[in-house]
Amino acid sequence: MAYLEIAGGRPLYGEITVQGSKNAALPILAACILGEGPCEIENCPQIQDVEDTLSILRMLGCRAERSGHTVFVDAARLERYSIYGAEAIRIRSSILFLGALLGRIGKAVLPYPGGCAIGSRPIDLHLKALETLGAQFSAQQDTCFSDSRAETNEREAPFTGQCRICARAPELHGGSIFFAMPSVGATENAILAAVCADGTTVIENAAMEPEIAELCDFLKLRGATISWEEERTIRVTGTKRLSPVRYRLHADRIVAGNYLLAAATCGGCVRMRNLPFGLLDAPLAILRAMGMTIEEDGTVRAGLPLTAVEEVTTAPYPGFPTDLQSPMMAALCVARGNSRIRETVFENRFLTARQLQKMGARIETEKNLARIEGLWGNGQLCGTSVTAPDLRGGAALVQAASAAAGRTRIYGYEYIARGYEDICRDYRNMGAEIYLRE
């Protein structure tokens, strides 16, 4: 079993480059099947979630290749609509192929998506939005459709009892969609289906995360007609032809925020190339309030101790991202004073607290509220064996271990590999002593 071994207790000094955005890459790769021309995606991170998505594209009959940080996708020979296998079950973003396949060929069969165990994350918002555009759904364990192509897919790769989402949409059409809550994935699925539908679709109370803006930019470069009207409203006018395109992904704001918090937790001075300032307003404001200096060239300086924060509340963009809640908790564990974190997005985001407690952190959780007593001046984190509960929680444990006294082993590395290209390389470039053991 692979694990990370970290000798902590030293400040961070060095320079790193922020990788391309995971949360933009995944919907954009799904969008590559909307049209037959080849697409070239630059600055695409070399992470497990992207590799799983490329495997799904190949499964559907697409050409999907990687050369370094550039990915090539040609969907001219896409002929299948049934997705199967561990890749689809493992990653949450496989659900995005639902809207893309309905938009391209009017049918889709895929297992219920997986991902990190951070909450229930139901897909009802996805299904309701797509039903508004003309999709019909069923959930079965046997053959969904009787046509020969579906039967061939089933024979080639049976689901072995896995419950699947079966969808058809003979004629997608525009419609008015209102989300009860601004779901990122459901907004992306609605856009993917609406791009090739007849007529105009208006999406109200849409999520506003930067990755959705990137998806829209990518599709507009291909010839789609998409506009942002008033706040949280997106208008999509369907088109029947999308062109080939070359697109470069922005830097990953969550990875950048995690490394900013690592520097805050350990102290020191780190220069971060490609730091996406405009996408991190809420985290940067809190980090500055905690005593961190962040310069325009991406140089960040953190002198200890950190100042505690009265309360951090997660919220949809442009609020404080839930993906940075666990790294923020790790930083507040070593601050001077008491802090609170209120989680409003996912109910299971406090799983990381249990692992931090093993390292000596003083955290109490009750429902969606965590109370953290900072250790500065009254103890410190200590190395031990912990297990990553999810992707962002695993990254937070690396951050905490780098600040802790002694050595820490972190199991569950496969979670971290889903979203971080080479976390050992990045931390070593900041001067940390970290190794991947197999």
Side-chain angles (χ1 to χ4, degrees), residues 110-414:
L110 64 158
Y112 277 83
C116 292
I118 56 176
S120 57
R121 302 206 291 185
I123 61 170
D124 56 311
L125 294 177
H126 299 248
L127 305 187
K128 185 177 180 181
L130 296 173
E131 282 177 342
T132 300
L133 304 183
Q136 303 168 7
F137 294 96
S138 64
Q140 302 179 12
Q141 289 185 325
D142 299 315
T143 303
C144 295
F145 305 130
S146 60
D147 63 77
S148 60
R149 181 162 51 181
E151 292 172 355
T152 298
N153 287 342
E154 293 296 316
R155 287 197 300 269
E156 290 177 354
F159 278 85
T160 62
Q162 172 68 38
C163 189
R164 296 160 290 164
I165 304 164
C166 306
R168 65 166 73 236
E171 294 183 5
L172 280 176
H173 55 75
S176 296
I177 297 169
F178 177 84
F179 288 120
M181 60 174 293
S183 163
V184 173
T187 299
E188 292 168 341
N189 246 331
I191 293 169
L192 290 168
V195 161
C196 293
D198 288 330
T200 298
T201 299
V202 177
I203 306 169
E204 296 182 276
N205 200 30
M208 297 176 61
E209 271 65 12
E211 296 78 22
I212 292 175
E214 278 210 73
L215 173 62
C216 292
D217 289 344
F218 172 79
L219 289 167
K220 286 192 288 186
L221 284 174
R222 299 195 70 186
T225 302
I226 306 173
S227 61
W228 293 75
E229 298 191 338
E230 54 194 65
E231 185 177 2
R232 297 196 180 278
T233 299
I234 302 173
R235 180 180 293 270
V236 183
T237 301
T239 182
K240 294 302 180 184
R241 184 176 179 81
L242 295 177
S243 304
V245 72
R246 176 186 295 173
Y247 183 83
R248 184 173 180 83
L249 293 169
H250 297 169
D252 193 308
R253 66 190 175 99
I254 303 301
V255 171
N258 184 191
Y259 290 162
L260 284 168
L261 284 160
T265 306
C266 298
C269 179
V270 176
R271 183 167 183 259
M272 300 179 60
R273 300 176 60 188
N274 297 336
L275 182 62
F277 281 95
L279 308 182
L280 289 167
D281 287 347
L284 288 176
I286 293 173
L287 283 167
R288 289 187 172 108
M290 293 168 68
M292 197 169 201
T293 301
I294 304 161
E295 300 178 2
E296 292 184 1
D297 67 351
T299 299
V300 297
R301 293 182 173 85
L304 301 179
L306 296 173
T307 300
V309 179
E310 181 177 349
E311 183 166 303
V312 177
T313 301
T314 64
Y317 189 84
F320 189 89
T322 183
D323 280 349
L324 288 179
Q325 183 256 98
S326 293
M328 174 58 73
M329 180 181 289
L332 293 175
C333 286
V334 302
R336 179 167 56 189
N338 299 330
S339 306
R340 295 186 300 181
I341 297 178
R342 192 175 300 276
E343 174 58 58
T344 69
V345 181
F346 292 121
E347 67 271 19
N348 286 349
R349 277 288 196 192
F350 289 153
L351 294 176
T352 308
R354 302 174 190 171
Q355 304 301 313
L356 291 170
Q357 287 166 346
K358 293 179 182 179
M359 303 176 70
R362 297 171 182 172
I363 306 170
E364 294 180 357
T365 62
E366 181 182 1
K367 296 182 179 179
N368 71 330
L369 182 66
R371 297 180 179 87
I372 303 119
E373 180 184 345
L375 291 172
W376 185 265
N378 191 22
Q380 64 182 127
L381 295 175
C382 297
T384 188
S385 292
V386 292
T387 301
D390 52 62
L391 167 57
R392 305 305 175 184
L397 292 176
V398 175
Q399 170 189 331
S402 298
R407 289 185 174 269
T408 301
R409 285 190 177 186
I410 302 175
Y411 294 93
Y413 174 73
E414 64 276 9

Side-chain angles (χ1 to χ4, degrees), residues 46-64:
Q46 296 176 327
I47 56 175
Q48 189 60 52
D49 273 15
V50 167
E51 298 311 309
D52 285 344
T53 303
L54 295 177
S55 294
I56 291 172
L57 287 166
R58 298 184 194 107
M59 188 185 304
L60 295 172
C62 303
R63 175 189 167 212

Side-chain angles (χ1 to χ4, degrees), residues 1-123:
M1 182 183 298
Y3 64 89
L4 295 174
E5 185 172 63
I6 301 168
R10 65 182 70 183
L12 300 180
Y13 291 93
E15 179 175 298
I16 59 172
T17 299
V18 181
Q19 67 188 53
S21 172
K22 163 188 175 287
N23 289 340
L26 303 182
I28 284 173
L29 288 173
C32 288
I33 71 174
L34 295 172
E36 299 184 357
C39 296
E40 186 174 331
I41 314 300
E42 299 177 343
N43 198 32
C44 193
Q46 296 176 327
I47 56 175
Q48 189 60 52
D49 273 15
V50 167
E51 298 311 309
D52 285 344
T53 303
L54 295 177
S55 294
I56 291 172
L57 287 166
R58 298 184 194 107
M59 188 185 304
L60 295 172
C62 303
R63 175 189 167 212
E65 301 173 354
R66 176 187 285 281
S67 176
H69 286 89
T70 299
V71 167
F72 305 88
V73 179
D74 189 343
R77 295 186 178 181
L78 182 143
E79 56 184 14
R80 298 175 179 171
Y81 55 80
S82 184
I83 297 175
Y84 51 86
E87 299 91 346
I89 298 170
R90 184 161 54 226
I91 60 172
R92 177 74 180 176
S93 61
S94 62
I95 191 67
L96 297 176
F97 282 94
L98 188 56
L101 283 168
L102 290 174
R104 172 69 184 272
I105 56 179
K107 294 179 182 179
V109 180
L110 64 158
Y112 277 83
C116 292
I118 56 176
S120 57
R121 302 206 291 185
I123 61 170

